[in-house]
């Protein structure tokens, strides 16, 4: 039995370790995700309600997901959105649907908080099952080069990205200029 709940400060060490473990063998990782989570927690982009953990019946934290505030910026205006980064599941708990539960619960809470969209860079065969489509379909790009199929967005409400074109602007904690 897995329970999804808001992360608490006494979870930080477990989340740090599980994030490091989750990305240790990942080919497309800079292996710094655990440090990114720490930096984002102290930023203005942090939304406590959208830092979630998956906990098993024994109280072991099996997974974590973080959504933070970002902007989509064009020449005239900017629009609020969220970045999903990272989603982490301890290796021994992977392939059991925990990541899916975290994503779906995160989407639900984000929608309740009034957010209309989520942007991510991720695996093109995993995220479409949650409604993610290429950001290029919406006229949204990134401030760096990535394969087109890995930049994705989901509308949490109908037409949540309608006429919201531009470049994703990440918080400085992401280390992207």
């Amino acid at each position: 039995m897995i329970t999804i709940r808001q992360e608490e400060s006494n979870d930080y060490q477990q989340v740090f370790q599980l994030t490091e473990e989750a990305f240790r063998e990942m080919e497309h990782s800079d292996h710094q995700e655990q440090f990114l989570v720490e930096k984002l927690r102290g930023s203005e982009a942090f939304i406590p309600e959208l830092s979630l953990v998956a906990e098993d019946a024994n109280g072991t934290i099996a997974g974590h997901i973080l959504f933070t505030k970002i902007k989509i910026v064009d020449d005239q205006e900017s629009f609020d959105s969220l970045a999903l980064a990272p989603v982490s599941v301890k290796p021994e708990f992977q392939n059991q649907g925990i990541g899916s539960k975290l994503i779906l619960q995160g989407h639900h809470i984000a929608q309740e908080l009034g957010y209309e969209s989520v942007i991510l860079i991720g695996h093109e065969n995993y995220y479409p099952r949650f409604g993610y489509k290429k950001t290029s379909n919406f006229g949204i790009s990134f401030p760096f080069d990535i394969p087109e199929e890995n930049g994705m967005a989901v509308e949490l409400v109908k037409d949540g990205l309608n006429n919201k074109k531009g470049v994703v602007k990440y918080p400085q904690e992401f280390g992207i200029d």
Side-chain angles (χ1 to χ4, degrees), residues 78-117:
S78 78
F79 310 98
D80 293 330
S81 188
L82 295 170
L84 188 175
V87 58
S88 311
V89 178
K90 282 178 78 101
E92 62 267 30
F93 288 96
Q94 289 176 4
N95 301 309
Q96 297 177 29
I98 293 171
S100 296
K101 286 180 178 157
L102 285 163
I103 292 166
L104 293 170
Q105 183 66 15
H107 285 175
H108 176 74
I109 294 168
Q111 191 177 10
E112 284 184 338
L113 292 173
Y115 290 94
E116 297 184 351
S117 63

Side-chain angles (χ1 to χ4, degrees), residues 145-158:
D145 290 331
I146 61 163
E148 182 183 6
E149 64 272 10
N150 298 123
M152 290 176 262
V154 68
E155 295 175 300
L156 298 174
V157 297
K158 184 174 175 16

Side-chain angles (χ1 to χ4, degrees), residues 135-177:
T135 52
S136 57
N137 293 350
F138 300 102
I140 297 169
S141 61
F142 294 87
F144 44 79
D145 290 331
I146 61 163
E148 182 183 6
E149 64 272 10
N150 298 123
M152 290 176 262
V154 68
E155 295 175 300
L156 298 174
V157 297
K158 184 174 175 16
D159 297 327
L161 286 169
N162 197 26
N163 298 317
K164 295 182 179 170
K165 300 176 182 349
V167 179
V168 176
K169 177 148 180 51
Y170 288 94
Q172 67 183 24
E173 289 77 12
F174 276 90
I176 301 163
D177 293 328

